[in-house]
């Protein structure tokens, strides 16, 4: 299969039988409607037209070791050949994985596995409501925690929707929307006010410790500590959603970097390097309320939970992170990318904020500060999306959508960062010219 015609055929076939032609709402990107991915390898992917790109999108984060990591794939295949899904009892690999997670993640005394991150945050919130006997939860503008009703709101909101309920989907009961309080990130006083005044109290505060779903909003010094203090004082369950930051920013997640221990942690994505896996873990007294303990009230179930092949993939991923300088490598390349980009934009005289953490980098086309979502409304979206579109001509793939972050994996090399910087410079200059011309023509 090769050539333009085949590409058009595949995409057209997809659109006939799959709504929109893709299986997740964020996969259809303007200008890339005909993109059909036929293979992945290490730091790259190849499309049906035979174009190979260096991948900084990384499926929104999972393949931390790179695509098709041979150690992970071999472990998965070995386990899968030996032990298929049975749906009864437990398997040795599940026990070993739980032990590794408990050992590494500070907040986790007990852990339960799911297939996705959304299931993990769903269960964490239900558990918090049961443990506290309260209904309301706090989430922050700019954080994403999955597709379910209690949290599917206020991520990349239009300016006029900030400060109001901004559901990501139709079909959510108004009562559910009502029970979720949306506050600005990095404003602990807003949280304090809410905890002191909300009738009936607040069951949980859920947050991405670094809101990566809008790029990277770094927590101000003392912010996470203050959320910890306030949660403890008010008997509110503090949930760190580490679906992106977990394992990527350290084996112990961002909580081990920040030195702040939540009551519950959710994870997913990088833990199994791309195989479907998520989980919820935390304080034993809370976790023991799940119905996996006899007679306990919080239903926990899932046909695919703890699937042996996926669990083996997670074990192999963690083993490789323990054995090899994975974080050292991705953090070093991340720093090279961020500092190289800062130099580049300084040289070009383009005002930007280059930020991120570890292996994640992002460039906002605006002046700082960047502390909360409202700040990002100043970002020049046309530049942000435009340079990413132009990078495609140079074989570099950063997702061409506003406020999306870029990821570096263990399979990326120094030469990839050199090529990234070169492609970015050319693409940014071209975009600037295109925008100047477009603005001139519109006057
Ligand atoms: C921070 C965070 N939490 C939860 C989720 C939901 O995970 P999943 O897509 O595996 O359901 C995501 C997905 O992007 C996420 O970024």
């Amino acid at each position: 299969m090769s050539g333009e015609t085949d590409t058009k055929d595949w995409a057209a076939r997809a659109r006939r039988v799959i709504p929109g032609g893709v299986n997740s709402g964020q996969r259809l990107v303007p200008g890339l409607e005909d993109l059909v991915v036929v293979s992945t390898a290490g730091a790259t992917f190849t499309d049906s037209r035979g174009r190979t790109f260096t991948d900084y999108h990384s499926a929104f984060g999972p393949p931390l070791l790179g695509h098709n990591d041979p150690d992970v794939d071999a472990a998965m295949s070995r386990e899968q050949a030996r032990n298929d899904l049975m749906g009864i009892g437990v398997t040795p690999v599940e026990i070993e994985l739980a032990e590794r997670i408990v050992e590494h993640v500070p907040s986790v005394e007990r852990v339960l596995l799911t297939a996705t991150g959304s299931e993990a945050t769903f269960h964490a919130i239900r558990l918090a409501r049961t443990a506290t006997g309260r209904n309301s939860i706090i989430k922050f503008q700019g954080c994403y925690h999955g597709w379910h009703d209690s949290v599917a709101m206020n991520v990349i909101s239009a300016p006029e929707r900030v400060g109001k309920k901004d559901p990501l989907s139709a079909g959510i009961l108004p009562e559910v929307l009502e029970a979720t309080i949306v506050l600005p990130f990095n404003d602990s006083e807003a949280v304090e006010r809410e905890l002191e005044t909300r009738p009936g109290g607040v069951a949980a505060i859920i947050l991405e410790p670094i809101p990566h779903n809008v790029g990277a909003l770094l927590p101000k010094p003392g912010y996470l500590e203050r959320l910890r203090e306030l949660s403890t004082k008010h008997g509110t369950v503090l949930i760190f959603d580490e679906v992106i930051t977990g394992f990527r920013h350290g084996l112990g997640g961002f909580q081990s970097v920040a030195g702040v221990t939540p009551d519950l942690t959710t994870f997913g994505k990088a833990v199994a390097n791309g195989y479907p896996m998520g989980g919820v873990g935390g304080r034993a007294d809370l976790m023991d309320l799940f119905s996996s303990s006899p007679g306990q009230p919080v239903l926990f179930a899932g046909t695919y939970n703890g699937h042996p092949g996926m669990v083996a993939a997670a074990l192999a991923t963690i083993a490789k992170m323990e054995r090899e300088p994975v974080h050292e490598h991705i953090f070093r390349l991340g720093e090279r990318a961020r500092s190289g980009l800062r130099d580049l934009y300084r040289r070009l005289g383009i005002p930007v904020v280059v930020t991120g953490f570890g292996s994640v980098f992002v460039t906002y086309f605006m002046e700082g500060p960047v502390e909360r979502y409202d700040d990002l409304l100043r970002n020049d979206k046309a530049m942000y999306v435009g340079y990413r579109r132009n990078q495609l001509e140079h074989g570099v793939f950063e997702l061409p959508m506003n406020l999306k972050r870029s990821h570096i994996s263990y399979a990326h090399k120094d030469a990839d960062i050199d090529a990234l910087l070169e492609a970015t410079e050319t693409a940014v200059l071209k975009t600037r010219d295109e925008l100047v011309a477009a603005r001139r023509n519109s006057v």
Side-chain angles (χ1 to χ4, degrees), residues 116-119 121 144-147 208 213 241 243-244 269:
T116 67
S118 294
E119 293 165 85
T121 58
Y144 177 68
H145 304 293
W147 42 253
E208 295 177 70
N213 275 286
D241 178 359
V243 165
I244 295 173
K269 297 197 192 266

Side-chain angles (χ1 to χ4, degrees), residues 13 65 152 167 265 295 343 381:
R13 276 170 61 185
L65 301 175
T265 300
D343 290 348
K381 182 177 165 184

Side-chain angles (χ1 to χ4, degrees), residues 199-372:
V202 173
I205 299 172
I206 185 166
L207 68 148
E208 295 177 70
I210 301 176
H212 277 312
N213 275 286
V214 288
L217 299 175
L218 299 179
K220 287 201 287 198
Y223 175 67
L224 297 177
E225 288 84 346
R226 186 72 186 129
L227 292 187
R228 176 65 280 176
E229 280 165 18
L230 289 169
S231 302
T232 305
K233 176 173 171 206
H234 291 275
T236 296
V237 177
L238 183 62
I239 306 169
F240 277 9
D241 178 359
E242 297 232 38
V243 165
I244 295 173
T245 54
F247 301 92
R248 178 169 284 280
H249 291 346
L251 268 163
F254 190 70
Q255 60 195 260
S256 63
V257 178
V260 177
T261 304
D263 300 303
L264 295 176
T265 300
T266 53
F267 56 90
K269 297 197 192 266
V271 65
N273 204 51
Y275 288 99
M277 160 76 64
V280 53
R283 273 173 33 205
D285 62 313
L286 292 174
M287 291 297 295
D288 283 342
L289 294 173
F290 277 122
S291 65
S292 50
S293 293
Q296 292 303 305
V298 189
L299 176 63
F300 190 84
T303 302
Y304 297 108
N305 292 356
H307 189 297
M310 307 303 109
V311 172
L315 269 173
T317 304
I318 293 174
K320 194 153 182 167
M321 290 182 198
E322 290 168 342
R323 195 173 64 234
E324 296 189 23
V326 172
H327 290 100
E328 195 187 311
H329 179 82
I330 60 175
F331 273 53
R332 186 178 65 75
L333 292 194
E335 199 43 53
R336 266 205 67 201
R338 283 186 295 273
S339 62
L341 289 168
R342 280 187 199 114
D343 290 348
L344 183 162
Y345 288 109
R346 205 174 297 125
R347 194 159 39 75
L348 299 180
I350 298 176
V352 295
V353 176
V354 177
T355 183
F357 184 86
S359 57
V360 173
F361 64 95
V362 58
T363 302
Y364 299 117
F365 291 84
M366 56 182 279
E367 309 266 3
V370 169
E371 290 178 355
R372 41 191 268 173

